[in-house]
């Protein structure tokens, strides 16, 4: 069967990574979490002290952006891809609240986006890829054969994130997460370059009231339709 490109975009914490990963595993495609790439650049900035009281040291970041190498490797046990920053596994470190609260700012920087979009397009050259993010269907792969735009209410997304972090034993407050979700929605939708928006030819999925199983079934159906064409 001919391989296609699948772009899954949507708001933060709406479960798109889980659905994209599950689909990729089921159909034998490569999965790329483009948000993890913005998170890895953010972690790099934290580790290299580029967040200054007066703002991000964009001059230094611009000089160093080509030295930031982000790769993905499968965890042999879980079969899930893990994010590596310059050869070091940073999968856990990029999911902290500190990174979550700073990543939207990093993702507004034009040269960061250009560098990451170029890497993402390179990764998708051979097709057979599921990539999730904010601008995959609009900017990275505008010709993707299947585009999905996922959404759910901010309260439900914050609740899901809260439960996920609590299950991992993290000390977090619902209010803090809810505020972070709303703030990221605002920055994601209002940045000048590649703001979060549904591509005209993307299929809308509001999963506020769907179970994971119902969502999986729905997605399988969309994949079948897209590959039958
Ligand atoms: O999906 P996520 O929450 O891990 O994404 C982290 C941040 O990166 C999010 O605030 C928006 C940004 N992002 C982006 O601007 N473009 C993408 N393609 C993916 C993520």
């Amino acid at each position: 069967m001919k391989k296609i490109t699948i772009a899954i975009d949507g708001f933060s914490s709406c479960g798109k990574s889980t659905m994209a990963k599950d689909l990729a595993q089921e159909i034998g495609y490569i999965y790329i979490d483009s948000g993890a790439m913005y998170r890895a650049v953010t972690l790099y900035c934290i580790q290299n002290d580029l967040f200054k009281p007066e703002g991000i040291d964009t001059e230094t970041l611009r000089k160093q952006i080509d030295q930031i190498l982000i790769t993905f490797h499968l965890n042999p046990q879980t079969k899930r891809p893990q994010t590596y920053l310059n050869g070091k596994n940073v999968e856990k470190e990029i999911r902290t609240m500190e990174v979550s609260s700073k990543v939207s700012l990093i993702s507004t920087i034009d040269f960061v986006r250009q560098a990451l979009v170029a890497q993402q397009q390179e990764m998708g050259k051979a097709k057979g890829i599921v990539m999730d993010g904010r601008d995959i269907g609009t900017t990275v792969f505008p010709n993707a054969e299947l585009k999905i735009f996922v959404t759910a209410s901010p309260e439900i997304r914050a609740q899901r994130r809260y439960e996920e972090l609590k299950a991992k034993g993290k000390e977090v407050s619902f209010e803090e997460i809810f505020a972070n979700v709303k703030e990221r929605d605002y920055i994601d939708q209002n940045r000048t370059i590649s703001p979060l928006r549904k591509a005209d030819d993307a299929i809308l999925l509001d999963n506020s009231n769907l179970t994971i199983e119902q969502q999986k079934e729905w997605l399988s159906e969309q994949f079948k339709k897209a590959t039958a064409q």
Side-chain angles (χ1 to χ4, degrees), residues 9 12-13 16-17 33-36 38-39 95 103-104 107 113 120 132-136 184 188 191:
D9 287 303
S12 67
S13 306
K16 54 184 189 314
S17 295
D33 175 356
S34 68
Y38 289 92
R39 286 173 179 272
R95 311 282 168 197
V103 62
S104 284
S107 68
R113 298 204 73 84
Q120 290 153 5
D132 78 351
R134 305 292 189 287
D135 60 342
I136 311 306
R184 283 207 282 161
D188 286 349
R191 65 169 171 249

Side-chain angles (χ1 to χ4, degrees), residues 57-76:
D57 180 354
T58 45
E59 274 326 295
T60 307
L61 181 58
R62 188 193 295 274
K63 284 187 204 130
Q64 297 181 358
I65 191 79
D66 293 334
Q67 296 162 29
I68 306 178
L69 181 67
I70 302 157
T71 48
F72 295 95
H73 303 281
L74 276 195
N75 175 320

Side-chain angles (χ1 to χ4, degrees), residues 12-30:
S12 67
S13 306
C14 63
K16 54 184 189 314
S17 295
T18 309
M19 81 188 257
K21 263 181 229 168
D22 288 346
L23 175 68
Q25 208 167 23
E26 187 188 315
I27 62 180
Y29 277 27
I30 290 172

Side-chain angles (χ1 to χ4, degrees), residues 53 56 61 73 82-83 118 120 139 156 182 186 197 205 209:
I56 302 161
L61 181 58
H73 303 281
Q82 309 247 280
T83 314
Q120 290 153 5
T139 306
I156 286 186
K182 285 192 290 187
Y186 183 84
R197 69 168 183 84
L205 168 68
N209 299 307

Side-chain angles (χ1 to χ4, degrees), residues 113-220:
R113 298 204 73 84
Q114 279 158 18
L116 296 189
V117 167
Q119 287 183 31
Q120 290 153 5
Q121 288 173 334
E122 192 59 38
M123 291 170 179
K125 261 191 176 160
K127 294 196 176 257
I129 189 167
V130 183
M131 192 176 288
D132 78 351
R134 305 292 189 287
D135 60 342
I136 311 306
T138 51
T139 306
V140 182
F141 300 130
N143 297 323
E145 290 86 349
L146 177 58
K147 297 182 188 177
I148 314 277
F149 190 88
V150 196
T151 182
S153 75
E155 289 81 0
I156 286 186
R157 287 184 283 130
Q159 187 63 34
R160 288 177 186 160
R161 184 105 192 94
Y162 175 70
E163 279 160 19
E164 197 179 290
L165 289 171
K166 257 185 70 180
K168 285 182 188 162
K170 300 257 162 63
E171 275 292 320
V172 283
S173 80
F174 175 79
E175 284 68 30
E176 191 187 354
I177 293 175
F178 190 37
N180 178 248
V181 163
K182 285 192 290 187
E183 189 193 358
R184 283 207 282 161
D185 283 0
Y186 183 84
I187 301 179
D188 286 349
Q189 291 177 98
N190 291 286
R191 65 169 171 249
T192 331
I193 324 160
S194 299
L196 171 65
R197 69 168 183 84
K198 179 184 162 300
D200 294 338
D201 53 350
I203 309 164
L204 183 70
L205 168 68
D206 183 337
N207 68 11
S208 299
N209 299 307
L210 287 188
T211 62
I212 301 267
E213 264 326 298
Q214 288 170 325
Q215 180 168 282
K216 260 190 189 166
E217 243 170 68
W218 180 88
L219 193 56
S220 273

